[in-house]
Amino acid sequence: MEQSAPPPYRRIVEEIRRRIDTGELAPGDRVPSTRRITREWGVAMATATKVLTTLRQEGVVRAVPGVGTVVNDPQAAGHRDQPQTRTRKPARDAQAPEQTPERAPREPDGGGGLNRDRIVGAALKVADAEGLRGLSMRRVAAEFGMSSMALYRHVANKDELVLLMADAAFADVTLPDPAPDGWRERMEAGARLQWELYQRHPWLAQYLSLTRPQPMPRAMALIEWTMARVEGMDPVTLIHMALTLLGFVLSTAAGLEDDLEAEQETGMDQDQWMAAMDPVFEGILASGSYPMYAGMSGTDDETVNLGTLFDFGLERLLDGMEVLVERRAGGRATGRTP
């Protein structure tokens, strides 16, 4: 009698177990997240969630708060239930950079044409799917079936790799041609280009810093283009306008990476999370103490989200900028193309 094929989730479970058994995923390494599973195997989120649940039930992996789902270490099973502290976003200065092994023998790249561009491209795919927490030199090397030593021939360490990734991400931005003439239209277009970029690369907004900027000419070129039509401002005021706009986009887009990390830690996407929380919120609103929130009852779930917050906040921010520009121009500037 012909045996039926195993269900999709079981095939994915066995593939991840194979990667663990062959050493491709070592103890402590993060396994593919639910989002990465849906992309790599083309399955629904429910199937991806069942994969990780099955692996946890079988003792193959464990969930680590603040990290995600990692390969279990049978030699350290006693540490499985130890509490761990979640850190939302470790400070860049507090992170110990991956050291380049100066005197270790260089591993050949196997003749596969490994180069810096290919490494950066693979790292981008990992970070886009799993966030910066899931990125390591060893994780990227696994994409090529090599050890991390092969990467050090082309990239000094993880810090340099992430900087190259950010620069490569900004190279993906296509400026509109013809460019908007009005200063307000130009600023709005520049802000939306950034917003779209951070949606493609959710980790990027939290990597960038207003207080400790990295040398990234491509990113600087986008900001320069965004502010090119603002006239009559002294340099200090102009840079404040530029950084205020940048800060708004970054702070709003930071929620994209937060949501990705929360999905990896809980195994639930945003819709599943809100559905699980509905009974709790309904109980709170029933008290009558929160009329503003209660007024949203019955509205569509998409009425308020990161996209609507971005649109609303951008318009109000530019409204304020317009007051400043008109004041400097004696009321003659409208900021809009007739």
Side-chain angles (χ1 to χ4, degrees), residues 268-282 301:
M268 294 186 288
D269 62 19
Q270 188 179 38
D271 291 339
Q272 292 169 322
W273 171 262
M274 292 303 298
M277 291 294 105
D278 273 347
V280 180
F281 282 117
E282 288 175 2
D301 290 341

Side-chain angles (χ1 to χ4, degrees), residues 114-129:
L114 190 63
N115 56 44
R116 176 173 287 192
D117 289 343
R118 291 190 64 202
I119 292 170
V120 171
L124 279 170
K125 291 180 180 179
V126 172
D128 290 348

Side-chain angles (χ1 to χ4, degrees), residues 323-336:
V323 173
L324 174 62
V325 172
E326 289 184 349
R327 183 185 303 158
R328 292 292 178 93
R332 295 188 298 275
T334 65
R336 300 179 186 272

Side-chain angles (χ1 to χ4, degrees), residues 7-334:
Y9 88 91
R10 174 51 64 179
R11 293 200 300 270
I12 300 172
V13 166
E14 294 306 319
E15 170 58 20
I16 294 176
R17 292 191 69 127
R18 183 197 66 77
R19 296 179 184 181
I20 295 172
D21 292 341
T22 59
E24 183 177 336
L25 291 173
D29 283 352
R30 287 182 55 176
V31 300
S33 64
T34 51
R35 183 169 299 187
R36 185 176 179 86
I37 290 173
T38 61
R39 291 178 179 176
E40 185 172 346
W41 281 278
V43 296
M45 182 61 69
T47 300
T49 302
K50 190 171 185 178
V51 169
L52 295 185
T53 300
T54 302
L55 288 169
R56 283 195 292 267
Q57 291 173 343
E58 295 178 355
V60 179
V61 302
R62 61 192 176 98
V64 178
V67 177
T69 303
V70 303
V71 178
N72 203 6
D73 186 354
Q75 304 300 323
H79 299 288
R80 184 178 306 172
D81 299 323
Q82 290 184 357
Q84 301 195 26
T85 302
R86 177 183 180 181
T87 303
R88 178 181 175 274
K89 180 188 177 185
R92 186 175 290 111
D93 287 352
Q95 294 176 343
E98 295 190 31
Q99 300 297 323
T100 305
E102 299 293 342
R103 300 182 182 180
R106 299 296 189 182
E107 178 180 282
D109 62 24
L114 190 63
N115 56 44
R116 176 173 287 192
D117 289 343
R118 291 190 64 202
I119 292 170
V120 171
L124 279 170
K125 291 180 180 179
V126 172
D128 290 348
E130 303 178 19
L132 284 184
R133 288 183 181 176
L135 184 74
S136 67
M137 299 295 277
R138 182 167 60 182
R139 177 66 184 83
V140 176
E143 295 290 306
F144 300 100
M146 303 175 182
S147 72
S148 56
M149 189 67 70
L151 272 58
Y152 288 119
R153 301 182 61 181
H154 308 278
V155 181
N157 49 41
K158 180 181 175 180
D159 289 343
E160 182 186 26
L161 177 58
V162 178
L163 180 58
L164 292 170
M165 291 162 53
D167 188 57
F170 275 96
D172 190 36
V173 175
T174 301
L175 298 176
D177 185 18
D181 289 328
W183 70 264
R184 175 167 177 150
E185 293 168 318
R186 179 73 76 95
M187 287 184 67
E188 179 177 355
R192 292 192 179 281
L193 286 171
Q194 295 174 57
W195 175 248
E196 293 166 2
L197 177 65
Y198 302 144
Q199 287 180 301
R200 294 193 297 272
H201 307 288
W203 55 272
L204 184 55
Q206 290 201 14
Y207 171 72
L208 300 176
S209 172
L210 293 178
T211 57
R212 300 190 180 190
Q214 297 278 14
M216 290 189 294
R218 287 167 172 166
M220 295 170 65
L222 175 56
I223 305 304
E224 192 79 31
W225 180 91
T226 301
M227 307 303 297
R229 289 293 182 265
V230 182
E231 299 178 353
M233 295 293 169
D234 63 274
V236 174
T237 301
L238 187 63
I239 198 69
H240 274 83
M241 292 176 64
L243 294 180
T244 298
L245 181 67
L246 175 61
F248 163 73
V249 183
L250 289 178
S251 61
T252 307
L256 298 168
E257 174 78 345
D258 286 343
D259 186 54
L260 175 59
E261 291 180 354
E263 181 179 322
Q264 292 168 345
E265 292 181 11
T266 64
M268 294 186 288
D269 62 19
Q270 188 179 38
D271 291 339
Q272 292 169 322
W273 171 262
M274 292 303 298
M277 291 294 105
D278 273 347
V280 180
F281 282 117
E282 288 175 2
I284 294 175
L285 297 181
S287 69
S289 300
Y290 307 94
M292 179 184 70
Y293 292 99
M296 294 295 296
S297 178
T299 60
D300 188 87
D301 290 341
E302 294 300 312
T303 301
V304 179
N305 55 42
L306 284 178
T308 64
L309 291 174
F310 173 77
D311 291 337
F312 181 87
L314 179 60
E315 286 298 311
R316 302 295 77 76
L317 181 60
L318 292 176
D319 287 344
M321 297 284 190
E322 189 165 330
V323 173
L324 174 62
V325 172
E326 289 184 349
R327 183 185 303 158
R328 292 292 178 93
R332 295 188 298 275
T334 65

